[in-house]
Amino acid sequence: MNSLLEKGKISALQMGVMMYKTIVATEILFVPAVISKYAQQDMWLSPIWASVMGFFTVFVTVALNRLYPECTVFQYSERILGKVPGKILGLLFLLFYLHVSGIVLRQYGSFIISVFLIRTPLFVVLGSMVLVSAYAVRGGVEVMGRAAQIFVPFLVLLVMIITLLLLPEMDLNHLLPFMEKGIKPSLLGSIPPQGWLSEYFLMTFLLPCVSDRKNEIKWGMVSVVAVIVTLEAVSLATYLVFGKLTENFIFPVLEAGRYISVAGFIEHVESILTAIWVMGMFVKVTVFYYAVVIGLSQWLNLSDPRPVVLPTGFLIVVMAIWAAPNLQEMFDFIATTYPFYKITVQVLIPTVLLLIALLRKNLRQVAEGKG
């Protein structure tokens, strides 16, 4: 396996934690507004429907890895399709993850600049995050796994505290009437989170480094459940506070945090929320960054990926600046085209690869049986 840290190993639990942090980091900020735009008072049903995509993506990713245990998608594509078609598909995945890495980084930069560092140049915010992530990527998957494991408890605690502190502001009447327009709105609302849950295909870059392989499917599925529970908590908390106004906010969770005031003492929770969210974005940017570096090194058949870490970081910053002219257009892209784009590349194509691999395996077994 071509890895940044060949001796580095992570547990299946660490892999699940990394994926949980990767998915939740952007979901908790954007998803409540995106879901409420389609589902409104039935938005709490949308994550439940979306969970099917998460479970299916984990299943397909693990199934492919068990057929080719030491390979990532860049390597087993060539073994399934042949060298030239596999290289072409590998280039598609490489450009895709480079593009999505830029979008993820731009989401981070746009949030920080629009809310806090208004006069700071965009490239400074983006570049500082990439430099820190580059250090982690050069350290390898083991460093990334430990960082995610340290940061996750803070995020879980934050979600619990915000949900509890918002209880006095919540109004259950915002959830009525139940399914007024049938099941269609909640199904439409499930499409954007399905796009985020398709990111579980990133496990293809982590599975070759997992030490306890028998637990990979279990912790992958547990991670999906944890993401859905977190998304439900955040979505419900914001919608019960704002109702139909939720869709008018780009960052409804941040706005909800500003509502919190306990005895004039516990206030400005949004600052703590942002600090912990930045930890989550660090993990997300790092995992995508790692995927691009590993993919590039494997596509080029490099023996040592470290020399491409910094050039790849520069490309991701350029892609982030190019990704969207402003925050509103990025939000519209996330709510419409983005989920289908991610599902096609991270779910549909791997599913076809899995079917072809299983067909070839069965034909080989039949041929060997006749021989």
Side-chain angles (χ1 to χ4, degrees), residues 317-344:
V317 172
V318 171
M319 190 65 72
I321 294 172
W322 172 81
N326 55 62
L327 184 59
Q328 186 59 51
E329 286 199 22
M330 174 172 285
F331 181 79
D332 293 338
F333 175 61
I334 289 171
T336 53
T337 311
Y338 196 43
F340 298 100
Y341 174 49
K342 292 202 288 186
I343 290 168
T344 300

Side-chain angles (χ1 to χ4, degrees), residues 33-335:
V34 175
I35 295 179
S36 65
K37 183 178 180 180
Y38 296 101
Q40 294 189 350
Q41 69 268 21
D42 294 327
M43 67 180 298
W44 64 274
L45 289 170
S46 296
I48 298 173
W49 309 143
S51 66
V52 176
M53 182 62 70
F55 294 128
F56 181 73
T57 306
V58 170
F59 170 78
V60 170
T61 308
V62 172
L64 280 166
N65 179 260
R66 287 182 176 175
L67 289 172
Y68 307 97
E70 300 301 317
C71 301
T72 70
V73 65
F74 290 91
Q75 296 167 319
Y76 58 63
S77 292
E78 293 183 34
R79 294 175 64 176
I80 294 171
L81 301 176
K83 189 167 183 63
V84 175
K87 280 289 185 185
I88 295 172
L89 184 61
L91 180 61
L92 171 67
F93 273 104
L94 184 59
L95 294 175
F96 168 79
Y97 279 116
L98 180 62
H99 183 212
V100 176
S101 296
I103 292 172
V104 169
L105 186 63
R106 181 57 182 269
Q107 288 171 350
Y108 162 77
S110 296
F111 173 80
I112 293 297
I113 287 176
S114 64
V115 177
F116 291 101
L117 306 178
I118 299 172
R119 297 185 179 180
T120 305
L122 179 62
F123 74 90
V124 173
V125 177
L126 302 180
S128 59
M129 174 60 85
V130 165
L131 283 175
V132 177
S133 297
Y135 182 78
V137 171
R138 284 183 65 89
V141 71
E142 192 171 303
V143 172
M144 294 158 52
R146 289 177 178 175
Q149 211 168 5
I150 291 171
F151 294 153
V152 157
F154 292 102
L155 177 63
V156 174
L157 187 62
L158 178 72
V159 171
M160 291 173 62
I161 290 174
I162 286 182
T163 304
L164 290 173
L165 292 179
L166 283 174
L167 282 175
E169 307 291 336
M170 294 181 186
D171 182 1
L172 290 174
N173 290 321
H174 285 152
L175 297 180
L176 300 174
F178 173 64
M179 295 187 73
E180 180 185 18
K181 298 178 182 177
I183 198 173
K184 185 179 177 181
S186 61
L187 287 175
L188 288 173
S190 74
I191 294 174
Q194 284 182 53
W196 269 288
L197 288 166
S198 72
E199 292 176 359
Y200 271 97
F201 187 66
L202 284 165
M203 287 168 54
T204 186
F205 301 99
L206 306 177
L207 286 169
C209 301
V210 172
S211 55
D212 51 334
R213 303 299 292 270
K214 64 181 184 297
N215 294 321
E216 58 196 11
I217 189 77
K218 181 185 80 173
W219 285 112
M221 296 300 183
V222 168
S223 179
V224 174
V225 172
V227 167
I228 298 304
V229 170
T230 304
L231 184 55
E232 282 284 7
V234 170
S235 299
L236 273 174
T238 51
Y239 199 82
L240 288 173
V241 171
F242 297 121
K244 292 183 179 181
L245 292 175
T246 305
E247 64 181 272
N248 297 326
F249 300 112
I250 293 180
F251 309 118
V253 177
L254 185 73
E255 298 299 330
R258 288 172 174 163
Y259 264 64
I260 295 173
S261 178
V262 179
F265 177 69
I266 302 177
E267 293 181 332
H268 302 295
V269 177
E270 71 273 12
S271 302
I272 302 172
L273 187 152
T274 303
I276 294 176
W277 177 79
V278 168
M279 296 179 190
M281 286 304 295
F282 163 72
V283 174
K284 179 154 194 160
V285 171
T286 301
V287 170
F288 272 95
Y289 193 165
Y290 179 81
V292 177
V293 170
I294 288 293
L296 180 61
S297 62
Q298 290 178 344
W299 195 77
L300 295 174
N301 295 319
L302 301 179
S303 58
D304 183 9
R306 285 181 173 84
V308 303
V309 172
L310 287 178
T312 300
F314 174 76
L315 286 176
I316 292 173
V317 172
V318 171
M319 190 65 72
I321 294 172
W322 172 81
N326 55 62
L327 184 59
Q328 186 59 51
E329 286 199 22
M330 174 172 285
F331 181 79
D332 293 338
F333 175 61
I334 289 171

